[in-house]
Amino acid sequence: MKINFKNFGFLEFLVSASAIFVVGMLIWTASTRPAVEAKANLVKENHNKVVDLINDEINKCGNNDEGKFTVWGDPCNGEWIADKVVEYINENLKIENPFSDDSKVKTDPDPRIKAEGKAGQAVEMGVIFVMSSNFLPDPGSEWIVGTCFKSPCVAAGNNELTSIYR
């Protein structure tokens, strides 16, 4: 088989280079996908640990019995202090952030913005955010836990947002 490069011009070069680039990107994407999925799954597991801890305390406290306390020390029938909850989580749950060395759970006034990256906000991938306002004892009080595990965070399915109700 003889290849004739006599009529091989710029357009042919451009088409060949584009084809090689596309094939290379497909191979690269296929080879890195398992690692990306593993990181995303770890962040989702961390998010679920935080949500499950808070939900377990809500269930344990049940009817807001007086004299009962949460594992972080707030009274079951009182206001739960966001900073105390986050401090307990950071000290006791094994939270790992595969995207950076920052493995701390943080508080934020609106975790939705931190998890989705709205309004030009910087997003910290893998960091779990708990609503910074305290969790009121009133029935129907809402707390939001959010995180981003895949870029772009604003895209559907790339972030995790959970509303927790008392």
Side-chain angles (χ1 to χ4, degrees), residues 7 15-16 26 32 36 39 50 67 85 89-90 92 99 109 113 162:
N7 295 327
V15 169
S16 300
L26 288 173
T32 60
V36 172
K39 286 181 178 182
V50 172
V85 176
I89 291 168
N90 285 329
N92 296 288
F99 297 105
I113 291 174
T162 304

Side-chain angles (χ1 to χ4, degrees), residues 27 60 66 83 86 89 113 125 129 131 134 150 157:
I27 292 169
K60 185 184 92 176
E66 286 193 37
D83 291 331
V86 169
I89 291 168
I113 291 174
M125 294 267 295
F129 293 94
M131 189 173 261
N134 295 337
K150 194 173 181 187

Side-chain angles (χ1 to χ4, degrees), residues 51-124:
V51 170
D52 290 345
L53 172 76
I54 297 168
N55 277 329
D56 289 346
E57 290 304 303
I58 291 170
N59 292 333
K60 185 184 92 176
C61 285
N63 300 329
N64 289 335
D65 297 333
E66 286 193 37
K68 290 175 82 177
F69 291 89
T70 62
V71 292
W72 52 83
D74 286 332
C76 281
N77 63 346
E79 186 174 347
W80 294 356
I81 310 301
D83 291 331
K84 285 175 73 174
V85 176
V86 169
E87 182 181 339
Y88 177 85
I89 291 168
N90 285 329
E91 290 175 2
N92 296 288
L93 294 183
K94 303 281 190 267
I95 301 292
E96 296 177 37
N97 184 351
F99 297 105
S100 77
D101 293 336
D102 188 3
S103 294
K104 299 283 187 200
V105 174
K106 299 178 181 179
T107 58
D108 192 78
D110 191 353
R112 287 178 285 241
I113 291 174
K114 285 292 190 177
E116 295 176 345
K118 291 181 181 173
Q121 296 285 327
V123 177
E124 298 174 62

